[in-house]
Protein backbone atom coordinates (compact mmCIF):
# COMPACT_ATOMS: atom_id res chain seq x y z
CA UNK A 1 0.00 0.00 0.00
CA UNK A 2 1.43 3.39 -0.95
CA UNK A 3 1.07 6.52 1.15
CA UNK A 4 -1.74 7.95 -1.01
CA UNK A 5 -3.90 4.86 -0.74
CA UNK A 6 -3.20 4.63 2.96
CA UNK A 7 -4.18 8.24 3.62
CA UNK A 8 -7.36 8.21 1.52
CA UNK A 9 -8.41 5.01 3.27
CA UNK A 10 -7.99 6.76 6.62
CA UNK A 11 -10.21 9.67 5.56
CA UNK A 12 -13.15 7.26 5.22
CA UNK A 13 -13.36 7.05 9.01
CA UNK A 14 -15.37 9.78 10.77
CA UNK A 15 -13.30 10.60 13.86
CA UNK A 16 -14.61 14.01 14.89
CA UNK A 17 -14.06 14.75 18.58
CA UNK A 18 -16.51 16.61 20.84
CA UNK A 19 -15.53 19.35 23.30
CA UNK A 20 -18.59 18.93 25.52
CA UNK A 21 -18.23 15.19 26.01
CA UNK A 22 -17.19 13.77 29.40
CA UNK A 23 -15.94 10.43 28.01
CA UNK A 24 -12.47 9.40 26.86
CA UNK A 25 -12.25 9.39 23.95
CA UNK A 26 -14.85 12.09 23.52
CA UNK A 27 -16.68 10.16 20.78
CA UNK A 28 -17.17 6.42 20.34
CA UNK A 29 -16.49 6.63 16.60
CA UNK A 30 -12.86 7.44 17.32
CA UNK A 31 -12.49 3.98 18.84
CA UNK A 32 -13.54 2.40 15.55
CA UNK A 33 -10.56 3.93 13.80
CA UNK A 34 -8.24 3.27 16.73
CA UNK A 35 -9.11 -0.43 16.52
CA UNK A 36 -8.44 -0.36 12.77
CA UNK A 37 -4.99 1.19 13.35
CA UNK A 38 -4.17 -1.41 15.98
CA UNK A 39 -5.09 -4.20 13.56
CA UNK A 40 -3.10 -2.55 10.76
CA UNK A 41 0.00 -2.33 12.95
CA UNK A 42 -0.41 -6.02 13.77
CA UNK A 43 -0.83 -6.94 10.10
CA UNK A 44 2.32 -5.02 9.24
CA UNK A 45 4.24 -7.08 11.78
CA UNK A 46 5.18 -4.49 14.39
CA UNK A 47 5.88 -5.37 18.02
CA UNK A 48 4.27 -4.41 21.35
CA UNK A 49 1.05 -3.40 19.60
CA UNK A 50 -1.66 -2.40 22.04
CA UNK A 51 -4.70 -0.18 22.39
CA UNK A 52 -5.85 0.87 25.82
CA UNK A 53 -9.48 1.39 26.84
CA UNK A 54 -9.27 5.10 26.00
CA UNK A 55 -8.15 4.54 22.41
CA UNK A 56 -4.43 5.26 22.72
CA UNK A 57 -2.56 3.00 20.30
CA UNK A 58 1.12 2.12 20.82
CA UNK A 59 3.58 -0.03 18.84
CA UNK A 60 7.30 -0.60 18.31
CA UNK A 61 9.60 -1.10 15.36
CA UNK A 62 12.41 -3.07 16.98
CA UNK A 63 16.05 -2.05 16.60
CA UNK A 64 18.06 -3.79 13.88
CA UNK A 65 21.43 -3.15 15.51
CA UNK A 66 23.03 -3.82 18.90
CA UNK A 67 24.38 -0.28 19.13
CA UNK A 68 23.33 1.83 22.09
CA UNK A 69 20.81 4.10 20.39
CA UNK A 70 18.20 6.33 22.08
CA UNK A 71 14.61 5.13 21.76
CA UNK A 72 12.65 7.81 19.92
CA UNK A 73 9.00 8.11 19.02
CA UNK A 74 6.60 9.50 16.42
CA UNK A 75 3.09 10.59 17.37
CA UNK A 76 -0.04 11.65 15.48
CA UNK A 77 -3.65 12.19 16.48
CA UNK A 78 -6.58 10.65 14.67
CA UNK A 79 -9.47 12.87 15.71
CA UNK A 80 -10.67 15.66 13.43
CA UNK A 81 -11.92 19.14 14.26
CA UNK A 82 -15.40 20.09 15.43
CA UNK A 83 -15.27 23.10 13.10
CA UNK A 84 -16.42 21.17 10.03
CA UNK A 85 -18.00 17.80 9.34
CA UNK A 86 -15.69 14.81 9.03
CA UNK A 87 -18.40 12.38 7.90
CA UNK A 88 -18.63 10.89 4.42
CA UNK A 89 -15.45 12.58 3.20
CA UNK A 90 -15.10 12.33 -0.58
CA UNK A 91 -11.37 12.74 -1.20
CA UNK A 92 -10.10 12.99 -4.75
CA UNK A 93 -6.76 13.67 -6.40
CA UNK A 94 -6.04 16.67 -8.62
CA UNK A 95 -3.12 15.44 -10.71
CA UNK A 96 -0.36 17.84 -11.77
CA UNK A 97 -2.09 20.91 -10.37
CA UNK A 98 -1.87 23.72 -12.92
CA UNK A 99 -2.15 26.70 -10.56
CA UNK A 100 -5.74 27.58 -11.39
CA UNK A 101 -9.07 27.28 -9.64
CA UNK A 102 -10.07 23.84 -8.36
CA UNK A 103 -13.80 23.15 -8.61
CA UNK A 104 -14.63 21.04 -5.57
CA UNK A 105 -18.36 20.84 -6.27
CA UNK A 106 -20.88 22.92 -8.16
CA UNK A 107 -20.50 26.46 -6.85
CA UNK A 108 -17.66 25.58 -4.48
CA UNK A 109 -14.23 26.60 -5.75
CA UNK A 110 -10.80 26.53 -4.14
CA UNK A 111 -8.97 29.43 -5.74
CA UNK A 112 -5.38 30.66 -5.35
CA UNK A 113 -6.82 34.18 -5.22
CA UNK A 114 -8.38 33.27 -1.88
CA UNK A 115 -5.92 30.57 -0.84
CA UNK A 116 -2.49 31.69 -2.13
CA UNK A 117 -0.87 28.61 -0.52
CA UNK A 118 -2.00 26.70 -3.61
CA UNK A 119 0.59 28.53 -5.70
CA UNK A 120 3.40 26.71 -3.87
CA UNK A 121 2.11 23.37 -5.14
CA UNK A 122 1.91 23.86 -8.90
CA UNK A 123 2.88 20.62 -10.66
CA UNK A 124 2.11 18.48 -7.61
CA UNK A 125 -0.73 16.03 -7.01
CA UNK A 126 -3.20 17.44 -4.51
CA UNK A 127 -5.78 15.55 -2.48
CA UNK A 128 -8.87 17.71 -1.96
CA UNK A 129 -12.43 17.45 -0.63
CA UNK A 130 -15.75 17.89 -2.41
CA UNK A 131 -16.25 21.16 -0.54
CA UNK A 132 -18.73 19.81 1.99
CA UNK A 133 -16.39 18.35 4.64
CA UNK A 134 -12.89 18.80 5.90
CA UNK A 135 -10.27 16.40 4.55
CA UNK A 136 -8.67 15.16 7.76
CA UNK A 137 -5.04 15.68 6.77
CA UNK A 138 -4.90 17.09 10.30
CA UNK A 139 -3.75 14.61 11.35
CA UNK A 140 -4.38 11.49 9.28
CA UNK A 141 -1.60 12.63 6.94
CA UNK A 142 0.72 12.37 9.93
CA UNK A 143 -0.50 8.84 10.67
CA UNK A 144 -0.02 7.78 7.05
CA UNK A 145 3.51 9.21 7.00
CA UNK A 146 4.50 7.46 10.22
CA UNK A 147 3.03 4.14 9.08
CA UNK A 148 4.70 4.41 5.67
CA UNK A 149 8.07 5.30 7.21
CA UNK A 150 7.95 2.38 9.65
CA UNK A 151 7.09 -0.03 6.83
CA UNK A 152 9.97 1.38 4.76
CA UNK A 153 12.44 0.90 7.60
CA UNK A 154 11.09 -2.60 8.23
CA UNK A 155 11.75 -3.48 4.57
CA UNK A 156 15.19 -1.79 4.36
CA UNK A 157 17.33 -3.50 6.94
CA UNK A 158 20.42 -1.73 5.60
CA UNK A 159 19.23 1.43 7.38
CA UNK A 160 20.31 0.92 10.97
CA UNK A 161 18.13 2.26 13.75
CA UNK A 162 17.26 1.76 17.39
CA UNK A 163 13.86 0.96 18.85
CA UNK A 164 11.28 3.30 17.37
CA UNK A 165 7.97 3.80 19.11
CA UNK A 166 4.79 5.05 17.46
CA UNK A 167 1.59 6.29 19.09
CA UNK A 168 -1.77 7.41 17.76
CA UNK A 169 -4.16 9.23 20.08
CA UNK A 170 -7.65 10.73 20.25
CA UNK A 171 -8.97 14.17 21.20
CA UNK A 172 -6.08 16.45 20.23
CA UNK A 173 -8.47 18.88 18.57
CA UNK A 174 -10.20 19.54 21.90
CA UNK A 175 -6.91 19.97 23.76
CA UNK A 176 -7.04 16.64 25.58
CA UNK A 177 -4.93 14.36 23.40
CA UNK A 178 -2.00 14.21 25.79
CA UNK A 179 -4.02 14.03 28.99
CA UNK A 180 -4.02 10.24 29.12
CA UNK A 181 -0.90 9.60 27.04
CA UNK A 182 1.28 7.14 28.97
CA UNK A 183 4.75 8.66 28.70
CA UNK A 184 6.31 5.98 30.89
CA UNK A 185 4.85 3.19 28.77
CA UNK A 186 5.95 4.97 25.60
CA UNK A 187 9.50 4.79 26.94
CA UNK A 188 11.21 7.29 24.65
CA UNK A 189 13.99 9.77 25.32
CA UNK A 190 12.33 12.19 22.94
CA UNK A 191 9.65 12.17 20.25
CA UNK A 192 8.12 14.14 17.39
CA UNK A 193 4.50 14.91 16.57
CA UNK A 194 3.82 14.78 12.83
CA UNK A 195 1.12 17.41 13.05
CA UNK A 196 2.49 20.50 11.33
CA UNK A 197 1.43 22.21 8.14
CA UNK A 198 3.15 22.71 4.82
CA UNK A 199 6.52 21.50 3.57
CA UNK A 200 9.46 22.21 5.85
CA UNK A 201 7.58 23.50 8.87
CA UNK A 202 9.32 22.77 12.17
CA UNK A 203 7.83 24.10 15.36
CA UNK A 204 9.06 24.05 18.91
CA UNK A 205 7.40 27.22 20.15
CA UNK A 206 3.67 27.35 20.69
CA UNK A 207 1.07 29.43 22.45
CA UNK A 208 0.43 29.33 26.15
CA UNK A 209 -3.26 28.51 26.15
CA UNK A 210 -6.29 28.85 28.39
CA UNK A 211 -10.03 28.50 28.01
CA UNK A 212 -12.55 30.85 29.59
CA UNK A 213 -16.25 30.36 30.28
CA UNK A 214 -18.09 33.57 31.13
CA UNK A 215 -21.57 33.14 32.61
CA UNK A 216 -24.05 35.98 32.90
CA UNK A 217 -27.22 35.84 35.00
CA UNK A 218 -30.14 37.90 33.82
CA UNK A 219 -33.63 38.52 35.12
CA UNK A 220 -36.48 37.45 32.86
CA UNK A 221 -39.73 39.37 33.15
CA UNK A 222 -42.66 39.61 30.75
CA UNK A 223 -41.79 42.35 28.29
CA UNK A 224 -45.01 44.19 29.06
CA UNK A 225 -43.95 44.64 32.68
CA UNK A 226 -40.16 44.69 32.28
CA UNK A 227 -39.31 48.32 33.00
CA UNK A 228 -36.89 48.56 35.88
CA UNK A 229 -36.97 44.82 36.42
CA UNK A 230 -35.59 42.96 33.41
CA UNK A 231 -31.87 42.33 33.07
CA UNK A 232 -31.25 40.95 29.58
CA UNK A 233 -28.31 38.54 29.76
CA UNK A 234 -28.00 38.55 25.98
CA UNK A 235 -27.42 42.31 25.97
CA UNK A 236 -24.90 41.97 28.80
CA UNK A 237 -23.07 39.32 26.78
CA UNK A 238 -22.66 41.83 23.96
CA UNK A 239 -21.50 44.46 26.46
CA UNK A 240 -18.92 42.07 27.90
CA UNK A 241 -17.52 41.09 24.51
CA UNK A 242 -17.26 44.76 23.53
CA UNK A 243 -14.72 45.15 26.34
CA UNK A 244 -12.29 42.82 24.52
CA UNK A 245 -9.77 44.76 22.37
CA UNK A 246 -10.88 44.42 18.74
CA UNK A 247 -7.29 44.41 17.49
CA UNK A 248 -6.36 41.44 19.70
CA UNK A 249 -8.39 38.75 17.96
CA UNK A 250 -7.18 35.96 15.63
CA UNK A 251 -8.23 37.79 12.48
CA UNK A 252 -6.12 40.82 13.47
CA UNK A 253 -2.93 39.11 14.71
CA UNK A 254 -0.02 37.05 13.42
CA UNK A 255 3.39 35.67 14.39
CA UNK A 256 4.05 36.03 18.10
CA UNK A 257 1.01 38.24 18.74
CA UNK A 258 -1.46 36.82 21.23
CA UNK A 259 -5.23 37.11 21.15
CA UNK A 260 -8.64 36.54 22.68
CA UNK A 261 -11.02 34.47 20.58
CA UNK A 262 -14.77 34.26 21.13
CA UNK A 263 -15.68 30.69 20.25
CA UNK A 264 -19.40 31.12 20.76
CA UNK A 265 -22.32 32.60 22.67
CA UNK A 266 -25.31 30.71 24.00
CA UNK A 267 -27.83 33.14 25.38
CA UNK A 268 -31.39 34.05 26.31
CA UNK A 269 -32.78 36.77 28.55
CA UNK A 270 -32.16 34.83 31.74
CA UNK A 271 -28.73 33.33 31.06
CA UNK A 272 -25.80 33.81 28.68
CA UNK A 273 -22.60 31.84 28.34
CA UNK A 274 -19.60 33.07 26.35
CA UNK A 275 -16.75 30.68 25.50
CA UNK A 276 -13.29 32.09 24.81
CA UNK A 277 -9.79 30.86 24.19
CA UNK A 278 -6.83 32.96 25.33
CA UNK A 279 -3.44 32.66 23.63
CA UNK A 280 0.03 34.20 23.94
CA UNK A 281 3.58 32.96 23.36
CA UNK A 282 4.94 35.09 26.20
CA UNK A 283 4.12 33.62 29.61
CA UNK A 284 3.88 37.00 31.36
CA UNK A 285 1.58 38.40 28.67
CA UNK A 286 -0.48 35.22 28.88
CA UNK A 287 -1.00 35.68 32.61
CA UNK A 288 -1.84 39.35 32.02
CA UNK A 289 -4.53 38.35 29.50
CA UNK A 290 -6.21 36.10 32.04
CA UNK A 291 -6.05 38.91 34.62
CA UNK A 292 -7.67 41.28 32.11
CA UNK A 293 -10.60 38.89 31.61
CA UNK A 294 -11.15 38.74 35.37
CA UNK A 295 -11.05 42.53 35.60
CA UNK A 296 -13.71 42.72 32.88
CA UNK A 297 -15.88 40.49 35.05
CA UNK A 298 -15.27 42.75 38.06
CA UNK A 299 -16.28 45.83 36.06
CA UNK A 300 -19.49 44.16 34.93
CA UNK A 301 -20.37 43.19 38.50
CA UNK A 302 -19.68 46.71 39.74
CA UNK A 303 -22.23 47.95 37.23
CA UNK A 304 -24.85 45.19 37.37
CA UNK A 305 -24.43 43.77 40.86
CA UNK A 306 -22.29 41.12 42.52
CA UNK A 307 -22.74 37.66 41.08
CA UNK A 308 -24.19 38.83 37.79
CA UNK A 309 -21.10 37.73 35.87
CA UNK A 310 -18.71 34.91 36.71
CA UNK A 311 -15.76 33.39 34.92
CA UNK A 312 -14.09 29.99 34.89
CA UNK A 313 -10.50 30.04 33.62
CA UNK A 314 -8.62 26.85 32.85
CA UNK A 315 -5.06 26.56 31.53
CA UNK A 316 -4.81 24.14 28.60
CA UNK A 317 -1.12 23.96 27.73
CA UNK A 318 2.11 25.97 27.82
CA UNK A 319 4.88 26.97 25.43
CA UNK A 320 7.07 23.92 24.86
CA UNK A 321 10.11 26.11 24.09
CA UNK A 322 11.18 26.17 27.73
CA UNK A 323 11.41 22.35 27.63
CA UNK A 324 13.03 22.09 24.20
CA UNK A 325 15.77 24.70 24.75
CA UNK A 326 17.75 22.38 27.10
CA UNK A 327 17.42 19.57 24.51
CA UNK A 328 18.34 21.27 21.26
CA UNK A 329 19.87 18.07 19.83
CA UNK A 330 16.27 17.03 19.20
CA UNK A 331 15.94 19.98 16.81
CA UNK A 332 19.44 19.65 15.33
CA UNK A 333 18.65 16.11 14.17
CA UNK A 334 15.50 17.26 12.37
CA UNK A 335 17.29 20.15 10.68
CA UNK A 336 19.97 17.80 9.40
CA UNK A 337 17.37 15.28 8.28
CA UNK A 338 15.52 17.95 6.31
CA UNK A 339 18.76 19.12 4.73
CA UNK A 340 19.63 15.59 3.60
CA UNK A 341 16.10 15.17 2.21
CA UNK A 342 16.34 18.46 0.24
CA UNK A 343 13.68 20.14 2.37
CA UNK A 344 14.17 23.80 3.28
CA UNK A 345 13.35 24.15 7.01
CA UNK A 346 10.78 26.74 8.04
CA UNK A 347 11.24 27.16 11.78
CA UNK A 348 8.28 29.09 13.10
CA UNK A 349 6.13 29.49 16.20
CA UNK A 350 2.86 27.59 16.22
CA UNK A 351 -0.17 29.84 16.40
CA UNK A 352 -1.91 27.04 18.23
CA UNK A 353 -0.78 23.97 20.11
CA UNK A 354 -0.07 20.32 19.64
CA UNK A 355 -0.02 17.29 21.88
CA UNK A 356 3.75 17.75 21.85
CA UNK A 357 3.43 20.86 24.00
CA UNK A 358 1.72 18.98 26.82
CA UNK A 359 3.98 15.95 26.37
CA UNK A 360 7.05 18.15 26.68
CA UNK A 361 5.81 19.25 30.10
CA UNK A 362 5.24 15.59 31.01
CA UNK A 363 8.95 14.92 30.48
CA UNK A 364 8.98 13.95 26.79
CA UNK A 365 10.60 16.66 24.60
CA UNK A 366 8.37 16.64 21.54
CA UNK A 367 8.62 19.26 18.76
CA UNK A 368 6.28 19.32 15.79
CA UNK A 369 7.15 18.45 12.16
CA UNK A 370 5.19 19.20 8.99
CA UNK A 371 2.61 16.67 7.83
CA UNK A 372 1.64 18.57 4.68
CA UNK A 373 -1.95 19.59 5.23
CA UNK A 374 -3.04 23.13 4.33
CA UNK A 375 -6.23 25.04 5.24
CA UNK A 376 -7.03 22.76 8.17
CA UNK A 377 -10.49 22.46 9.74
CA UNK A 378 -12.52 23.39 6.68
CA UNK A 379 -13.76 22.25 3.28
CA UNK A 380 -10.85 23.88 1.41
CA UNK A 381 -8.29 21.70 3.16
CA UNK A 382 -5.82 19.93 0.89
CA UNK A 383 -2.59 17.96 1.08
CA UNK A 384 0.12 17.38 -1.51
CA UNK A 385 1.09 13.77 -2.13
CA UNK A 386 4.66 14.87 -2.80
CA UNK A 387 4.82 16.71 0.53
CA UNK A 388 3.52 13.65 2.39
CA UNK A 389 6.25 11.60 0.70
CA UNK A 390 8.86 14.14 1.83
CA UNK A 391 7.56 13.98 5.39
CA UNK A 392 7.89 10.21 5.30
CA UNK A 393 11.47 10.53 4.05
CA UNK A 394 12.29 12.97 6.88
CA UNK A 395 11.01 10.46 9.45
CA UNK A 396 13.21 7.74 7.97
CA UNK A 397 16.22 10.05 7.96
CA UNK A 398 15.64 11.10 11.60
CA UNK A 399 15.70 7.45 12.61
CA UNK A 400 18.90 6.89 10.62
CA UNK A 401 20.63 9.96 12.07
CA UNK A 402 19.61 9.07 15.62
CA UNK A 403 21.55 5.84 15.20
CA UNK A 404 24.70 8.00 15.16
CA UNK A 405 23.65 10.24 18.06
CA UNK A 406 26.16 8.70 20.47
CA UNK A 407 29.02 8.45 17.93
Amino acid sequence: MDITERFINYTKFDTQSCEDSKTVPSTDKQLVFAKYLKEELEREGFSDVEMDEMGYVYATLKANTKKDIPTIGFIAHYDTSMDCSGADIKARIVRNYDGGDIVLSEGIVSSPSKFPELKSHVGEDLIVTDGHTLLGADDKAGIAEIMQAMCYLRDHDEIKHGDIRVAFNPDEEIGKGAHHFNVDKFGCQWAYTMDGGDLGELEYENFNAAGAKVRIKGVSVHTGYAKGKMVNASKLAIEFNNMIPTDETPEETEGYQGFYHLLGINSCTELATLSYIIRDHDRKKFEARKDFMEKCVDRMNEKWGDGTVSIELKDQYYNMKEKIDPNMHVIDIVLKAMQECAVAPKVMPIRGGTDGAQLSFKGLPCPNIFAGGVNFHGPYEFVSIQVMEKAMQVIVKICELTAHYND
Side-chain angles (χ1 to χ4, degrees):
M1 184 182 297
D2 68 16
I3 197 168
T4 304
E5 183 182 0
R6 197 181 296 275
F7 170 71
I8 291 178
N9 183 42
Y10 292 165
T11 67
K12 296 174 183 177
F13 291 85
D14 179 8
T15 57
Q16 191 176 52
S17 48
C18 177
E19 184 178 30
D20 296 326
S21 172
K22 302 301 182 184
T23 64
V24 181
S26 62
T27 54
D28 288 341
K29 57 191 174 182
Q30 291 185 73
L31 289 174
V32 176
F33 187 46
K35 182 178 178 182
Y36 176 87
L37 290 172
K38 174 181 179 289
E39 292 171 350
E40 183 177 24
L41 287 160
E42 290 170 339
R43 288 196 305 271
E44 296 289 5
F46 298 111
S47 304
D48 310 321
V49 179
E50 61 177 304
M51 183 183 90
D52 67 22
E53 68 278 6
M54 294 175 288
Y56 289 72
V57 179
Y58 305 94
T60 306
L61 175 64
K62 291 293 188 181
N64 61 0
T65 175
K66 293 182 179 180
K67 284 183 63 177
D68 181 20
I69 299 171
T71 299
I72 64 170
F74 294 90
I75 302 166
H77 68 90
Y78 53 74
D79 66 313
T80 59
S81 171
M82 295 173 58
D83 293 344
C84 185
S85 173
D88 193 25
I89 294 170
K90 294 179 174 62
R92 67 180 178 91
I93 303 172
V94 178
R95 298 287 184 187
N96 192 23
Y97 172 58
D98 63 7
D101 289 353
I102 300 174
V103 178
L104 303 177
S105 290
E106 185 176 353
I108 304 175
V109 178
S110 182
S111 172
S113 63
K114 186 173 183 180
F115 303 105
E117 300 87 354
L118 283 164
K119 297 176 184 178
S120 300
H121 298 281
V122 173
E124 298 175 10
D125 303 315
L126 308 185
I127 304 176
V128 300
T129 74
D130 67 351
H132 296 287
T133 67
L134 47 68
L135 179 62
D138 180 14
D139 189 25
K140 289 169 183 168
I143 298 174
E145 291 151 7
I146 293 169
M147 287 291 299
Q148 206 71 21
M150 295 304 104
C151 290
Y152 185 90
L153 287 167
R154 177 200 62 196
D155 296 339
H156 289 78
D157 199 53
E158 73 277 8
I159 302 175
K160 301 305 176 185
H161 59 81
D163 282 351
I164 304 166
R165 294 280 278 160
V166 301
F168 306 129
N169 63 268
D171 290 342
E172 187 271 353
E173 295 292 357
I174 59 173
K176 299 178 181 179
H179 287 192
H180 302 281
F181 192 105
N182 194 326
V183 170
D184 291 336
K185 178 190 291 184
F186 200 44
C188 295
Q189 292 180 240
W190 68 84
Y192 303 95
T193 49
M194 300 300 299
D195 191 23
D198 213 345
L199 181 68
E201 289 188 11
L202 171 60
E203 300 149 332
Y204 61 94
E205 297 181 68
N206 60 276
F207 278 137
N208 295 290
K213 292 278 189 182
V214 177
R215 293 179 175 84
I216 301 174
K217 296 178 182 179
V219 178
S220 181
V221 179
H222 187 288
T223 53
Y225 306 93
K227 185 173 182 180
K229 302 172 185 176
M230 178 185 286
V231 178
N232 190 333
S234 294
K235 290 177 64 178
L236 267 62
I238 296 169
E239 182 178 339
F240 182 91
N241 190 61
N242 285 341
M243 298 168 74
I244 305 300
T246 57
D247 60 346
E248 296 182 29
T249 59
E251 59 269 38
E252 299 292 337
T253 53
E254 62 184 352
Y256 286 95
Q257 295 173 321
F259 60 74
Y260 308 89
H261 176 47
L262 176 62
L263 291 174
I265 302 176
N266 187 359
S267 73
C268 61
T269 301
E270 194 169 39
L271 180 66
T273 303
L274 301 91
S275 298
Y276 290 90
I277 59 173
I278 303 167
R279 301 290 188 263
D280 210 297
H281 282 90
D282 184 279
R283 188 66 173 264
K284 290 183 179 179
K285 292 180 180 178
F286 171 65
E287 297 297 334
R289 289 185 182 280
K290 291 189 292 181
D291 289 344
F292 172 78
M293 293 286 284
E294 291 183 321
K295 288 175 182 176
C296 288
V297 171
D298 292 342
R299 287 166 58 189
M300 291 288 289
N301 284 329
E302 287 173 7
K303 180 177 180 180
W304 295 101
D306 288 345
T308 302
V309 184
S310 61
I311 188 170
E312 179 184 350
L313 283 163
K314 187 175 182 179
D315 287 359
Q316 296 168 323
Y317 51 82
Y318 303 109
N319 190 343
M320 75 171 87
K321 186 177 187 294
E322 63 184 86
K323 299 298 182 180
I324 299 297
D325 278 348
N327 298 281
M328 283 304 291
H329 61 278
V330 175
I331 301 300
D332 294 339
I333 289 171
V334 182
L335 293 173
K336 187 173 182 182
M338 287 187 181
Q339 180 183 23
E340 295 193 15
C341 292
V343 173
K346 300 175 184 175
V347 180
M348 59 182 65
I350 310 172
R351 285 186 61 77
T354 71
D355 288 329
Q358 295 181 52
L359 292 173
S360 293
F361 280 87
K362 293 176 76 171
L364 180 67
C366 195
N368 192 42
I369 299 174
F370 71 95
V374 182
N375 297 334
F376 293 156
H377 298 188
Y380 300 98
E381 183 183 6
F382 71 89
V383 66
S384 162
I385 293 173
Q386 286 77 10
V387 174
M388 284 199 298
E389 290 171 342
K390 279 291 186 183
M392 184 272 286
Q393 293 167 18
V394 168
I395 294 171
V396 170
K397 186 60 67 173
I398 288 170
C399 297
E400 182 180 358
L401 291 173
T402 302
H404 302 289
Y405 172 70
N406 290 324
D407 290 354

